[in-house]
Amino acid sequence: MIADIAAWIFTLFVVDPLNAEMRQHLDRPNVPVEIVQQSRRCLAIEVPRLIDKAGNEPGWATATAIGISTGWMSPQRLFDGADPACNALRGLIGTENTREAEG
């Protein structure tokens, strides 16, 4: 029961907003097709893994949801740095976070 609630909270506060933000960035006309494909491939692989982890580790799920929602933690940390598809997504997230910090 607690695991299901943690996974739901994680999805509500991390996965859904992240998907919406990425969709917005990836739908821009100036984003290369390769970046779009790699980022979507990363999301397709990583999101189910993250939701599973959230269900198995409620404390991690809660801390991560709070950290990302409040800006204390970058969503970049959620994605595997060794996966080239996720590197494209991490780069996109990093670029957007840098722009927000400067603005």
Coordinates of all heavy atoms in Angstrom, one line a residue:
M1 N 0.8 -1.2 0.0 CA 0.0 0.0 0.0 C 0.9 1.3 0.0 O 0.7 2.2 -0.8 CB -0.9 -0.1 1.2 CG -1.7 1.2 1.4 SD -3.3 1.1 0.5 CE -4.1 2.4 1.2
I2 N 1.9 1.3 0.9 CA 2.7 2.5 1.0 C 3.5 2.6 -0.3 O 3.8 3.7 -0.8 CB 3.7 2.4 2.2 CG1 2.8 2.5 3.5 CG2 4.7 3.4 2.2 CD1 3.6 2.4 4.8
A3 N 4.0 1.4 -0.8 CA 4.7 1.5 -2.1 C 3.9 2.0 -3.2 O 4.4 2.8 -4.0 CB 5.2 0.0 -2.4
D4 N 2.7 1.7 -3.3 CA 1.8 2.2 -4.3 C 1.6 3.7 -4.2 O 1.6 4.5 -5.2 CB 0.4 1.5 -4.3 CG 0.5 0.1 -4.7 OD1 1.4 -0.3 -5.4 OD2 -0.4 -0.7 -4.3
I5 N 1.5 4.2 -3.0 CA 1.3 5.6 -2.7 C 2.6 6.4 -3.1 O 2.5 7.4 -3.7 CB 0.9 5.9 -1.2 CG1 -0.5 5.3 -1.0 CG2 0.9 7.4 -0.9 CD1 -0.9 5.3 0.5
A6 N 3.7 5.8 -2.7 CA 5.0 6.5 -3.0 C 5.2 6.5 -4.5 O 5.6 7.6 -5.1 CB 6.1 5.7 -2.4
A7 N 4.9 5.5 -5.2 CA 5.0 5.5 -6.7 C 4.0 6.5 -7.3 O 4.4 7.2 -8.3 CB 4.7 4.1 -7.3
W8 N 2.8 6.6 -6.8 CA 1.9 7.5 -7.3 C 2.3 9.0 -7.1 O 2.3 9.8 -8.0 CB 0.5 7.3 -6.6 CG -0.5 8.3 -7.0 CD1 -1.2 8.3 -8.2 CD2 -1.0 9.4 -6.3 NE1 -2.1 9.4 -8.2 CE2 -2.0 10.1 -7.1 CE3 -0.7 9.9 -5.1 CZ2 -2.6 11.2 -6.6 CZ3 -1.3 11.1 -4.6 CH2 -2.3 11.7 -5.4
I9 N 2.8 9.3 -5.9 CA 3.3 10.6 -5.6 C 4.5 10.9 -6.5 O 4.6 12.0 -7.0 CB 3.7 10.7 -4.1 CG1 2.5 10.7 -3.2 CG2 4.6 12.0 -3.8 CD1 2.7 10.6 -1.7
F10 N 5.4 10.0 -6.7 CA 6.6 10.2 -7.5 C 6.1 10.5 -8.9 O 6.6 11.4 -9.6 CB 7.5 8.9 -7.5 CG 8.7 9.1 -8.3 CD1 9.8 9.8 -7.7 CD2 8.8 8.6 -9.5 CE1 11.0 9.9 -8.4 CE2 10.0 8.7 -10.3 CZ 11.1 9.4 -9.7
T11 N 5.2 9.7 -9.4 CA 4.6 9.9 -10.8 C 4.0 11.3 -10.9 O 4.2 12.0 -11.8 CB 3.6 8.8 -11.2 OG1 4.3 7.6 -11.1 CG2 3.1 9.0 -12.6
L12 N 3.2 11.7 -9.9 CA 2.5 12.9 -9.9 C 3.4 14.1 -9.9 O 3.2 15.1 -10.6 CB 1.5 13.0 -8.7 CG 0.6 14.2 -8.6 CD1 -0.4 14.3 -9.8 CD2 -0.2 14.2 -7.3
F13 N 4.4 14.1 -9.0 CA 5.3 15.3 -8.8 C 6.6 15.3 -9.6 O 7.2 16.3 -9.7 CB 5.6 15.4 -7.3 CG 4.4 15.9 -6.5 CD1 3.6 15.0 -5.8 CD2 4.0 17.2 -6.6 CE1 2.5 15.5 -5.0 CE2 2.9 17.7 -5.9 CZ 2.2 16.8 -5.1
V14 N 7.0 14.1 -10.1 CA 8.2 14.1 -10.9 C 8.0 13.7 -12.3 O 8.4 14.4 -13.3 CB 9.2 13.1 -10.2 CG1 10.5 13.0 -11.0 CG2 9.5 13.6 -8.8
V15 N 7.4 12.5 -12.6 CA 7.3 12.0 -13.9 C 6.4 12.8 -14.8 O 6.8 13.1 -15.9 CB 6.9 10.5 -13.9 CG1 6.7 9.9 -15.3 CG2 7.9 9.6 -13.1
D16 N 5.2 13.1 -14.3 CA 4.3 13.8 -15.2 C 4.8 15.2 -15.5 O 4.8 15.6 -16.7 CB 2.9 13.9 -14.5 CG 2.2 12.6 -14.5 OD1 2.6 11.6 -15.2 OD2 1.2 12.5 -13.7
P17 N 5.2 16.0 -14.6 CA 5.8 17.3 -15.0 C 7.0 17.2 -15.9 O 7.2 18.0 -16.8 CB 6.1 18.0 -13.6 CG 5.3 17.3 -12.6 CD 5.2 15.9 -13.1
L18 N 7.9 16.2 -15.6 CA 9.0 16.0 -16.4 C 8.7 15.7 -17.9 O 9.2 16.2 -18.8 CB 10.0 15.0 -15.8 CG 11.3 14.8 -16.5 CD1 12.1 16.0 -16.5 CD2 12.1 13.6 -15.9
N19 N 7.7 14.8 -18.0 CA 7.2 14.4 -19.4 C 6.6 15.6 -20.1 O 6.9 15.8 -21.2 CB 6.2 13.3 -19.3 CG 6.8 11.9 -19.3 OD1 7.8 11.7 -19.9 ND2 6.2 11.0 -18.6
A20 N 5.9 16.4 -19.4 CA 5.3 17.6 -20.0 C 6.3 18.6 -20.4 O 6.3 19.2 -21.5 CB 4.3 18.2 -19.0
E21 N 7.3 18.8 -19.5 CA 8.4 19.7 -19.8 C 9.2 19.2 -21.0 O 9.5 20.0 -21.9 CB 9.3 19.9 -18.6 CG 10.4 20.9 -18.8 CD 11.3 21.0 -17.6 OE1 10.9 20.6 -16.5 OE2 12.4 21.5 -17.8
M22 N 9.5 18.0 -21.0 CA 10.3 17.4 -22.1 C 9.6 17.5 -23.4 O 10.1 17.8 -24.5 CB 10.7 16.0 -21.8 CG 11.8 15.9 -20.8 SD 13.3 16.8 -21.2 CE 13.2 18.2 -20.2
R23 N 8.3 17.2 -23.4 CA 7.5 17.2 -24.6 C 7.5 18.7 -25.2 O 7.6 18.9 -26.4 CB 6.0 16.8 -24.3 CG 5.2 16.4 -25.5 CD 3.9 15.8 -25.1 NE 3.9 14.9 -24.0 CZ 3.3 15.0 -22.9 NH1 2.6 16.1 -22.6 NH2 3.4 14.1 -21.9
Q24 N 7.4 19.6 -24.3 CA 7.4 21.0 -24.7 C 8.8 21.4 -25.3 O 8.8 22.0 -26.4 CB 7.2 21.9 -23.5 CG 7.1 23.4 -23.8 CD 6.9 24.2 -22.5 OE1 7.5 23.9 -21.5 NE2 6.1 25.2 -22.6
H25 N 9.9 21.0 -24.7 CA 11.2 21.3 -25.3 C 11.5 20.5 -26.6 O 12.1 21.0 -27.5 CB 12.3 20.9 -24.3 CG 12.2 21.8 -23.0 ND1 12.2 23.1 -23.1 CD2 12.2 21.4 -21.7 CE1 12.1 23.6 -21.8 NE2 12.1 22.6 -21.0
L26 N 11.0 19.3 -26.6 CA 11.3 18.4 -27.8 C 10.4 18.8 -29.0 O 10.8 18.4 -30.1 CB 11.1 16.9 -27.4 CG 12.2 16.4 -26.4 CD1 11.8 15.0 -26.0 CD2 13.6 16.5 -26.9
D27 N 9.3 19.4 -28.8 CA 8.4 19.8 -29.9 C 8.8 21.1 -30.5 O 8.2 21.5 -31.5 CB 7.0 19.9 -29.4 CG 6.4 18.5 -29.1 OD1 6.9 17.5 -29.6 OD2 5.3 18.5 -28.4
R28 N 9.9 21.7 -30.0 CA 10.3 23.0 -30.6 C 10.9 22.7 -32.0 O 11.5 21.6 -32.2 CB 11.4 23.6 -29.8 CG 10.9 24.2 -28.5 CD 12.0 24.9 -27.8 NE 11.5 25.4 -26.5 CZ 12.3 25.7 -25.5 NH1 13.6 25.6 -25.6 NH2 11.8 26.2 -24.4
P29 N 10.7 23.6 -33.0 CA 11.2 23.3 -34.3 C 12.7 23.3 -34.5 O 13.2 22.6 -35.4 CB 10.6 24.5 -35.1 CG 10.2 25.5 -34.1 CD 10.0 24.8 -32.8
N30 N 13.5 23.8 -33.6 CA 14.9 23.9 -33.8 C 15.6 22.7 -33.1 O 16.9 22.7 -33.2 CB 15.5 25.2 -33.3 CG 15.2 25.5 -31.9 OD1 14.4 24.8 -31.3 ND2 15.8 26.5 -31.3
V31 N 15.0 21.8 -32.5 CA 15.6 20.7 -31.8 C 15.9 19.6 -32.9 O 15.0 19.2 -33.6 CB 14.7 20.1 -30.7 CG1 15.4 18.9 -30.1 CG2 14.4 21.2 -29.7
P32 N 17.2 19.2 -33.0 CA 17.5 18.1 -34.0 C 16.7 16.8 -33.7 O 16.4 16.4 -32.6 CB 19.0 17.9 -33.7 CG 19.5 19.1 -33.0 CD 18.3 19.6 -32.2
V33 N 16.3 16.2 -34.8 CA 15.5 15.0 -34.8 C 16.2 13.9 -33.9 O 15.6 13.2 -33.1 CB 15.3 14.4 -36.2 CG1 14.6 13.1 -36.1 CG2 14.4 15.4 -36.9
E34 N 17.6 13.8 -34.0 CA 18.3 12.8 -33.3 C 18.2 13.0 -31.8 O 18.0 12.1 -31.0 CB 19.8 12.9 -33.7 CG 20.6 11.9 -33.0 CD 22.1 11.9 -33.5 OE1 22.3 12.3 -34.6 OE2 23.0 11.6 -32.6
I35 N 18.2 14.3 -31.3 CA 18.0 14.6 -29.9 C 16.6 14.2 -29.4 O 16.4 13.6 -28.4 CB 18.2 16.1 -29.6 CG1 19.6 16.5 -30.0 CG2 17.9 16.4 -28.2 CD1 20.7 16.0 -29.1
V36 N 15.6 14.4 -30.3 CA 14.2 14.1 -29.9 C 14.1 12.5 -29.8 O 13.6 12.0 -28.8 CB 13.3 14.6 -31.0 CG1 11.9 14.0 -30.8 CG2 13.2 16.1 -31.0
Q37 N 14.7 11.8 -30.8 CA 14.6 10.3 -30.7 C 15.3 9.8 -29.5 O 14.8 8.9 -28.9 CB 15.1 9.8 -32.0 CG 14.3 10.1 -33.2 CD 14.9 9.6 -34.6 OE1 16.2 9.5 -34.6 NE2 14.1 9.5 -35.6
Q38 N 16.5 10.3 -29.3 CA 17.3 9.7 -28.1 C 16.6 10.0 -26.8 O 16.5 9.2 -25.9 CB 18.7 10.4 -28.1 CG 19.6 9.8 -29.2 CD 20.9 10.5 -29.2 OE1 21.2 11.5 -28.6 NE2 21.9 10.0 -30.0
S39 N 16.1 11.2 -26.7 CA 15.4 11.6 -25.4 C 14.2 10.8 -25.2 O 13.9 10.3 -24.1 CB 15.0 13.1 -25.5 OG 16.2 13.9 -25.6
R40 N 13.4 10.6 -26.2 CA 12.2 9.7 -26.1 C 12.5 8.3 -25.8 O 11.9 7.6 -25.0 CB 11.3 9.8 -27.3 CG 10.7 11.2 -27.4 CD 9.6 11.3 -28.5 NE 9.0 12.6 -28.5 CZ 8.5 13.2 -29.5 NH1 8.7 12.7 -30.7 NH2 8.0 14.4 -29.4
R41 N 13.6 7.8 -26.4 CA 14.1 6.4 -26.1 C 14.5 6.3 -24.6 O 14.2 5.4 -23.9 CB 15.2 6.1 -27.0 CG 15.6 4.6 -27.0 CD 16.6 4.2 -28.1 NE 17.6 5.2 -28.5 CZ 17.6 5.8 -29.7 NH1 16.7 5.6 -30.6 NH2 18.5 6.7 -30.0
C42 N 15.2 7.3 -24.1 CA 15.6 7.4 -22.7 C 14.4 7.4 -21.8 O 14.4 6.6 -20.8 CB 16.5 8.6 -22.4 SG 17.0 8.8 -20.7
L43 N 13.5 8.2 -22.1 CA 12.3 8.3 -21.2 C 11.5 7.0 -21.2 O 11.0 6.5 -20.2 CB 11.3 9.4 -21.7 CG 11.8 10.8 -21.4 CD1 10.9 11.9 -22.1 CD2 11.9 11.1 -19.9
A44 N 11.4 6.3 -22.4 CA 10.7 5.1 -22.5 C 11.4 4.0 -21.6 O 10.7 3.1 -21.1 CB 10.6 4.6 -23.9
I45 N 12.7 4.0 -21.5 CA 13.4 3.0 -20.7 C 13.5 3.4 -19.2 O 13.2 2.6 -18.4 CB 14.9 2.9 -21.3 CG1 14.8 2.3 -22.7 CG2 15.7 2.0 -20.3 CD1 16.2 2.3 -23.4
E46 N 13.8 4.7 -19.0 CA 14.0 5.1 -17.6 C 12.8 5.3 -16.8 O 12.8 5.1 -15.6 CB 14.9 6.3 -17.6 CG 16.3 6.1 -18.1 CD 17.1 5.2 -17.2 OE1 17.1 5.3 -16.0 OE2 17.8 4.3 -17.7
V47 N 11.7 5.8 -17.3 CA 10.5 6.1 -16.5 C 9.9 4.9 -15.8 O 9.7 4.9 -14.6 CB 9.4 6.9 -17.4 CG1 8.1 6.9 -16.7 CG2 9.9 8.3 -17.7
P48 N 9.8 3.7 -16.5 CA 9.3 2.5 -15.8 C 10.3 2.1 -14.7 O 9.8 1.7 -13.6 CB 9.2 1.5 -16.9 CG 9.0 2.2 -18.2 CD 9.8 3.5 -18.0
R49 N 11.6 2.2 -15.0 CA 12.6 1.8 -13.9 C 12.4 2.8 -12.7 O 12.5 2.3 -11.6 CB 14.0 1.9 -14.5 CG 15.1 1.5 -13.5 CD 16.4 1.9 -14.1 NE 16.7 3.3 -14.2 CZ 17.0 4.1 -13.2 NH1 17.1 3.7 -12.0 NH2 17.3 5.4 -13.4
L50 N 12.2 4.1 -13.0 CA 12.1 5.0 -11.8 C 10.8 4.8 -11.0 O 10.8 4.9 -9.8 CB 12.2 6.4 -12.4 CG 13.5 6.9 -12.9 CD1 13.4 8.2 -13.7 CD2 14.5 7.0 -11.8
I51 N 9.8 4.5 -11.7 CA 8.5 4.2 -11.0 C 8.6 2.9 -10.2 O 8.1 2.9 -9.1 CB 7.3 4.2 -12.0 CG1 7.1 5.6 -12.6 CG2 6.0 3.6 -11.3 CD1 6.1 5.6 -13.7
D52 N 9.3 1.9 -10.7 CA 9.5 0.7 -10.0 C 10.3 1.0 -8.8 O 10.0 0.5 -7.7 CB 10.2 -0.3 -10.9 CG 10.3 -1.7 -10.2 OD1 9.3 -2.2 -9.7 OD2 11.4 -2.2 -10.2
K53 N 11.4 1.8 -8.9 CA 12.3 2.1 -7.8 C 11.5 2.9 -6.7 O 11.6 2.7 -5.5 CB 13.4 2.9 -8.3 CG 14.4 3.3 -7.2 CD 15.6 4.0 -7.7 CE 16.6 4.3 -6.5 NZ 17.8 4.9 -7.0
A54 N 10.6 3.8 -7.2 CA 9.8 4.6 -6.3 C 8.9 3.7 -5.5 O 8.7 3.9 -4.3 CB 9.0 5.6 -7.0
G55 N 8.3 2.7 -6.1 CA 7.5 1.7 -5.4 C 8.2 0.9 -4.4 O 7.7 0.5 -3.3
N56 N 9.5 0.5 -4.7 CA 10.3 -0.3 -3.8 C 11.0 0.5 -2.7 O 11.4 -0.1 -1.7 CB 11.3 -1.1 -4.6 CG 10.7 -2.1 -5.5 OD1 9.6 -2.7 -5.2 ND2 11.2 -2.4 -6.7
E57 N 11.2 1.8 -3.0 CA 11.9 2.6 -2.0 C 11.1 3.9 -1.8 O 11.4 5.0 -2.3 CB 13.3 3.0 -2.6 CG 14.2 1.8 -2.8 CD 15.5 2.1 -3.4 OE1 16.1 3.2 -3.1 OE2 16.0 1.4 -4.2
P58 N 10.1 3.8 -0.9 CA 9.2 5.0 -0.7 C 10.0 6.2 -0.2 O 9.6 7.3 -0.5 CB 8.2 4.5 0.3 CG 8.2 3.0 0.2 CD 9.6 2.6 -0.3
G59 N 11.0 6.0 0.7 CA 11.7 7.1 1.2 C 12.5 7.9 0.1 O 12.5 9.1 0.1
W60 N 13.1 7.1 -0.8 CA 13.8 7.7 -2.0 C 12.8 8.5 -2.8 O 13.0 9.6 -3.3 CB 14.5 6.6 -2.8 CG 15.0 7.2 -4.0 CD1 16.3 7.7 -4.2 CD2 14.4 7.2 -5.3 NE1 16.4 8.1 -5.5 CE2 15.3 7.8 -6.2 CE3 13.2 6.7 -5.8 CZ2 15.0 8.0 -7.6 CZ3 12.9 6.9 -7.2 CH2 13.8 7.5 -8.0
A61 N 11.6 7.8 -3.1 CA 10.6 8.5 -3.9 C 10.1 9.8 -3.3 O 10.0 10.8 -4.0 CB 9.4 7.5 -4.1
T62 N 9.9 9.8 -2.0 CA 9.4 11.0 -1.4 C 10.5 12.1 -1.4 O 10.2 13.3 -1.8 CB 9.0 10.7 0.1 OG1 8.0 9.7 0.0 CG2 8.4 12.0 0.8
A63 N 11.7 11.7 -1.0 CA 12.8 12.7 -1.0 C 13.1 13.3 -2.4 O 13.3 14.5 -2.6 CB 14.1 12.1 -0.4
T64 N 13.0 12.4 -3.4 CA 13.3 12.8 -4.8 C 12.2 13.7 -5.3 O 12.4 14.8 -5.9 CB 13.4 11.6 -5.7 OG1 14.5 10.8 -5.2 CG2 13.7 12.0 -7.1
A65 N 10.9 13.4 -5.0 CA 9.8 14.2 -5.4 C 9.9 15.6 -4.8 O 9.7 16.6 -5.5 CB 8.5 13.5 -5.1
I66 N 10.2 15.6 -3.5 CA 10.3 16.9 -2.8 C 11.5 17.7 -3.4 O 11.4 18.9 -3.7 CB 10.5 16.8 -1.3 CG1 9.1 16.2 -0.7 CG2 10.9 18.0 -0.6 CD1 9.2 15.8 0.7
G67 N 12.6 17.0 -3.6 CA 13.8 17.7 -4.1 C 13.7 18.3 -5.5 O 14.0 19.4 -5.7
I68 N 13.0 17.5 -6.3 CA 12.8 18.0 -7.7 C 11.8 19.1 -7.7 O 11.9 20.1 -8.4 CB 12.6 16.9 -8.7 CG1 13.8 16.0 -8.8 CG2 12.0 17.4 -10.0 CD1 13.7 14.8 -9.7
S69 N 10.7 18.9 -7.0 CA 9.6 19.9 -7.0 C 10.0 21.2 -6.4 O 9.5 22.3 -6.9 CB 8.4 19.3 -6.2 OG 7.9 18.2 -6.7
T70 N 10.9 21.2 -5.5 CA 11.3 22.5 -4.9 C 12.6 23.1 -5.6 O 13.0 24.2 -5.2 CB 11.7 22.3 -3.4 OG1 12.7 21.3 -3.3 CG2 10.4 21.9 -2.6
G71 N 13.2 22.3 -6.5 CA 14.4 22.8 -7.2 C 15.7 22.5 -6.4 O 16.7 22.9 -6.9
W72 N 15.6 21.8 -5.3 CA 16.8 21.4 -4.6 C 17.6 20.4 -5.3 O 18.8 20.2 -5.1 CB 16.5 20.9 -3.2 CG 15.9 21.9 -2.3 CD1 16.0 23.2 -2.4 CD2 15.1 21.6 -1.1 NE1 15.3 23.8 -1.3 CE2 14.8 22.8 -0.6 CE3 14.7 20.4 -0.5 CZ2 14.0 22.9 0.6 CZ3 13.9 20.5 0.6 CH2 13.6 21.8 1.2
M73 N 17.0 19.6 -6.2 CA 17.6 18.5 -6.9 C 17.3 18.7 -8.4 O 16.2 18.9 -8.8 CB 17.1 17.2 -6.4 CG 17.6 16.0 -7.1 SD 16.6 14.6 -6.4 CE 17.7 13.3 -6.7
S74 N 18.3 18.4 -9.3 CA 18.1 18.5 -10.7 C 17.5 17.2 -11.2 O 18.0 16.1 -10.8 CB 19.4 18.8 -11.4 OG 19.2 18.6 -12.8
P75 N 16.6 17.2 -12.1 CA 16.1 16.0 -12.7 C 17.1 15.2 -13.5 O 17.0 14.0 -13.7 CB 14.9 16.4 -13.6 CG 14.7 17.8 -13.4 CD 15.8 18.4 -12.6
Q76 N 18.2 15.9 -13.8 CA 19.3 15.2 -14.5 C 19.8 14.0 -13.8 O 20.2 13.0 -14.4 CB 20.5 16.2 -14.7 CG 20.4 17.2 -15.7 CD 21.6 18.1 -15.8 OE1 22.0 18.6 -14.8 NE2 22.2 18.2 -17.0
R77 N 19.8 14.1 -12.5 CA 20.3 13.0 -11.6 C 19.5 11.7 -11.7 O 20.0 10.6 -11.4 CB 20.3 13.4 -10.2 CG 21.3 14.6 -9.9 CD 21.3 15.1 -8.5 NE 21.7 14.0 -7.6 CZ 21.6 14.1 -6.3 NH1 21.1 15.1 -5.7 NH2 22.0 13.0 -5.6
L78 N 18.3 11.8 -12.3 CA 17.5 10.6 -12.4 C 17.9 9.7 -13.6 O 17.5 8.5 -13.6 CB 16.0 11.0 -12.6 CG 15.4 11.8 -11.5 CD1 14.0 12.2 -11.9 CD2 15.3 10.9 -10.2
F79 N 18.6 10.2 -14.5 CA 18.8 9.5 -15.8 C 20.2 9.0 -15.8 O 21.2 9.7 -15.5 CB 18.5 10.4 -17.0 CG 17.1 10.8 -17.0 CD1 16.7 12.1 -16.6 CD2 16.0 9.9 -17.2 CE1 15.4 12.5 -16.6 CE2 14.7 10.3 -17.2 CZ 14.4 11.6 -16.9
D80 N 20.4 7.8 -16.3 CA 21.7 7.1 -16.5 C 22.6 7.9 -17.3 O 22.4 8.1 -18.5 CB 21.4 5.7 -17.1 CG 22.7 4.8 -17.1 OD1 23.7 5.3 -16.6 OD2 22.6 3.7 -17.7
G81 N 23.7 8.3 -16.7 CA 24.7 9.0 -17.5 C 25.5 8.2 -18.5 O 26.2 8.7 -19.3
A82 N 25.5 6.9 -18.3 CA 26.2 6.0 -19.2 C 25.5 5.7 -20.5 O 26.1 5.2 -21.5 CB 26.6 4.7 -18.5
D83 N 24.2 6.0 -20.5 CA 23.4 5.7 -21.7 C 23.4 6.9 -22.6 O 23.0 8.0 -22.2 CB 21.9 5.5 -21.3 CG 21.0 5.1 -22.4 OD1 21.4 5.3 -23.6 OD2 19.9 4.5 -22.1
P84 N 23.9 6.8 -23.9 CA 24.0 7.9 -24.8 C 22.6 8.6 -25.1 O 22.6 9.8 -25.2 CB 24.5 7.3 -26.1 CG 25.0 5.9 -25.8 CD 24.4 5.5 -24.5
A85 N 21.6 7.8 -25.1 CA 20.2 8.4 -25.3 C 19.9 9.3 -24.1 O 19.3 10.4 -24.3 CB 19.2 7.3 -25.4
C86 N 20.3 8.9 -22.9 CA 20.0 9.7 -21.7 C 20.9 10.9 -21.7 O 20.5 11.9 -21.1 CB 20.0 8.9 -20.5 SG 18.7 7.7 -20.4
N87 N 22.1 10.8 -22.2 CA 23.0 12.0 -22.3 C 22.3 13.1 -23.0 O 22.5 14.3 -22.6 CB 24.3 11.6 -22.8 CG 25.2 10.9 -21.8 OD1 25.0 11.1 -20.6 ND2 26.2 10.2 -22.3
A88 N 21.7 12.8 -24.1 CA 21.0 13.8 -24.9 C 19.9 14.5 -24.0 O 19.8 15.7 -24.0 CB 20.3 13.2 -26.2
L89 N 19.1 13.7 -23.3 CA 18.1 14.2 -22.4 C 18.7 15.0 -21.3 O 18.2 16.1 -21.0 CB 17.2 13.1 -21.9 CG 16.0 13.5 -21.0 CD1 15.1 14.4 -21.8 CD2 15.3 12.3 -20.5
R90 N 19.7 14.5 -20.7 CA 20.4 15.2 -19.6 C 20.9 16.6 -20.1 O 20.8 17.6 -19.4 CB 21.5 14.4 -19.0 CG 21.1 13.2 -18.2 CD 22.2 12.3 -17.9 NE 23.3 13.0 -17.2 CZ 23.6 12.8 -15.9 NH1 22.9 11.9 -15.2 NH2 24.5 13.5 -15.3
G91 N 21.4 16.6 -21.3 CA 21.9 17.9 -21.9 C 20.8 18.9 -22.1 O 21.0 20.1 -21.8
L92 N 19.7 18.4 -22.5 CA 18.5 19.3 -22.7 C 18.0 19.8 -21.4 O 17.8 21.0 -21.2 CB 17.4 18.4 -23.3 CG 16.9 18.8 -24.7 CD1 15.8 17.9 -25.2 CD2 16.4 20.2 -24.8
I93 N 18.0 19.0 -20.4 CA 17.5 19.4 -19.0 C 18.5 20.4 -18.5 O 18.2 21.4 -17.9 CB 17.4 18.2 -18.1 CG1 16.3 17.3 -18.5 CG2 17.2 18.7 -16.6 CD1 16.2 16.0 -17.8
G94 N 19.8 20.1 -18.6 CA 20.9 21.0 -18.1 C 20.8 22.4 -18.8 O 21.0 23.4 -18.2
T95 N 20.6 22.4 -20.1 CA 20.5 23.7 -20.8 C 19.3 24.5 -20.3 O 19.4 25.7 -20.1 CB 20.3 23.4 -22.3 OG1 21.4 22.6 -22.8 CG2 20.2 24.7 -23.1
E96 N 18.2 23.8 -20.1 CA 17.0 24.6 -19.7 C 17.2 25.1 -18.2 O 16.8 26.2 -17.9 CB 15.8 23.7 -19.8 CG 15.4 23.4 -21.2 CD 15.2 24.6 -22.0 OE1 14.6 25.6 -21.6 OE2 15.7 24.6 -23.2
N97 N 17.8 24.2 -17.4 CA 18.0 24.7 -16.0 C 19.0 25.8 -15.9 O 18.9 26.8 -15.1 CB 18.5 23.5 -15.1 CG 17.4 22.5 -14.8 OD1 16.2 22.9 -14.9 ND2 17.8 21.4 -14.4
T98 N 20.0 25.8 -16.8 CA 21.0 26.9 -16.9 C 20.3 28.2 -17.3 O 20.5 29.3 -16.7 CB 22.1 26.6 -17.8 OG1 22.7 25.4 -17.4 CG2 23.1 27.7 -17.9
R99 N 19.4 28.1 -18.3 CA 18.6 29.3 -18.8 C 17.7 29.9 -17.7 O 17.6 31.1 -17.5 CB 17.8 29.0 -20.0 CG 18.6 28.8 -21.2 CD 17.7 28.5 -22.4 NE 18.5 28.0 -23.5 CZ 18.0 27.2 -24.4 NH1 16.7 26.9 -24.5 NH2 18.7 26.8 -25.4
E100 N 17.1 29.0 -16.9 CA 16.2 29.4 -15.8 C 17.0 30.1 -14.8 O 16.6 31.1 -14.2 CB 15.4 28.2 -15.3 CG 14.4 27.7 -16.2 CD 13.7 26.5 -15.6 OE1 14.0 26.1 -14.5 OE2 12.9 25.8 -16.4
A101 N 18.2 29.6 -14.4 CA 19.0 30.2 -13.4 C 19.5 31.6 -13.8 O 19.6 32.5 -13.0 CB 20.2 29.3 -13.1
E102 N 19.8 31.8 -15.1 CA 20.3 33.0 -15.6 C 19.2 34.1 -15.7 O 19.4 35.2 -15.6 CB 20.9 32.9 -17.0 CG 22.2 32.1 -16.9 CD 22.8 31.8 -18.3 OE1 22.1 32.0 -19.3 OE2 23.9 31.2 -18.3
G103 N 17.9 33.6 -15.9 CA 16.8 34.5 -16.2 C 16.2 35.0 -15.0 O 16.3 35.8 -14.2

